[in-house]
């Protein structure tokens, strides 16, 4: 047990040590979406990209989808030519895990999600490459492939949907500045939400 915990700690520490930071090139990944299509981050070079780590079993994710905050942000971004990749890194043996069809039915069906692709990362490799810690955990990548924002979706670290109205949305601000060719004024913020259920 102690040896297993030590190995887990070392693996986690190594993932954190090698994780990308703002200002660096965003690590490429290849994942399968809920419809079986292979999607590579490098396919979108030349475009602004948002990465959203998600898990519909998390109350913080429910806050942003239940209030229509996430769908509105997704739709606005896509209307400006931004590619939005929602990623689920929940491992298969966790009670929050949903198979692709069920995840699709929940997020894109019931919740009317508006991301470009909803991706499966059961191995956790993509999430660990970004040191994604929570759901939601958000990243913005500029057209050169550089990470320009990493952190929470906003500054109201609660699961209360009413807080969305008064929150400063860091992702929206980062996208607006990047699309205008300006540096991102708040490039990092503390992520909040449920811990990602990695293997």
């Amino acid at each position: 047990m102690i040896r297993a915990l030590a190995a887990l700690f070392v693996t986690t520490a190594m993932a954190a040590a090698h994780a990308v930071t703002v200002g660096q090139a965003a690590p490429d990944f290849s994942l399968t979406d809920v419809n079986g299509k292979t999607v590579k981050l490098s396919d979108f070079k030349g475009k602004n990209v948002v990465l959203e780590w998600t898990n519909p079993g998390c109350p913080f994710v429910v806050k942003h989808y239940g209030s229509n905050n996430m769908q509105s942000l997704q739709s606005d971004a896509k209307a400006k030519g931004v590619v939005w990749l929602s990623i689920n890194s929940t491992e298969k043996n966790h009670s929050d895990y949903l198979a692709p069809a069920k995840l699709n039915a929940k997020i894109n069906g019931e919740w009317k999600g508006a991301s470009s692709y909803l991706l499966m990362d059961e191995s956790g490799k993509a999430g660990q490459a970004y040191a994604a810690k929570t759901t939601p955990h958000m990243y913005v990548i500029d057209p050169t492939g550089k990470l320009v924002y990493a952190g929470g979706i906003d500054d109201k670290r609660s699961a209360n949907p009413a807080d969305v109205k008064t929150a400063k949305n860091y992702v929206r601000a980062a996208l607006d500045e990047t699309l205008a060719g300006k540096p991102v004024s708040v490039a990092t913020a503390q992520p909040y939400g449920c811990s990602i259920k990695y293997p």
Side-chain angles (χ1 to χ4, degrees):
M1 179 70 175
I2 293 171
R3 194 173 293 168
L5 285 171
L8 176 64
F9 176 78
V10 170
T11 303
T12 306
M14 284 173 61
H18 291 96
V20 69
T21 57
V22 168
Q24 294 181 335
D28 196 15
F29 55 76
S30 178
L31 297 172
T32 304
D33 80 348
V34 289
N35 299 308
K37 177 183 169 68
T38 298
V39 175
K40 294 180 182 177
L41 178 62
S42 54
D43 291 342
F44 309 112
K45 196 79 179 265
K47 292 181 175 287
N48 291 282
V49 179
V50 173
L51 307 181
E52 167 214 350
W53 260 266
T54 190
N55 168 11
C58 172
F60 295 88
V61 171
V62 173
K63 164 192 174 178
H64 290 289
Y65 277 93
S67 63
N68 204 47
N69 184 44
M70 194 68 79
Q71 300 94 316
S72 171
L73 194 56
Q74 291 167 341
S75 296
D76 290 352
K78 283 171 59 187
K80 295 171 182 171
V82 176
V83 175
W84 191 292
L85 305 178
S86 298
I87 303 170
N88 189 305
S89 295
T90 305
E91 63 108 356
K92 285 186 175 181
N93 294 322
H94 195 276
S95 59
D96 278 359
Y97 177 80
L98 293 177
K102 289 187 176 180
L103 185 67
N104 189 33
K106 183 69 174 181
I107 292 184
N108 291 330
E110 182 184 338
W111 288 353
K112 297 180 171 53
S115 65
S116 307
Y117 296 97
L118 178 55
L119 304 172
M120 303 298 292
D121 178 38
E122 294 108 323
S123 72
K125 286 181 181 175
Q128 287 165 347
Y130 284 82
K133 295 179 177 66
T134 62
T135 51
H137 198 154
M138 311 292 298
Y139 300 81
V140 176
I141 300 164
D142 76 5
T144 71
K146 184 175 72 177
L147 188 67
V148 295
Y149 176 77
I153 187 171
D154 60 31
D155 64 347
K156 297 283 186 178
R157 300 177 65 188
S158 82
N160 184 355
D163 286 339
V164 167
K165 293 175 185 174
T166 56
K168 174 176 174 49
N169 193 304
Y170 293 130
V171 176
R172 188 181 296 278
L175 279 174
D176 287 347
E177 289 169 337
T178 302
L179 288 164
K182 298 176 181 175
V184 174
S185 51
V186 179
T188 59
Q190 184 69 34
Y192 70 88
C194 306
S195 62
I196 294 177
K197 311 306 189 271
Y198 286 121

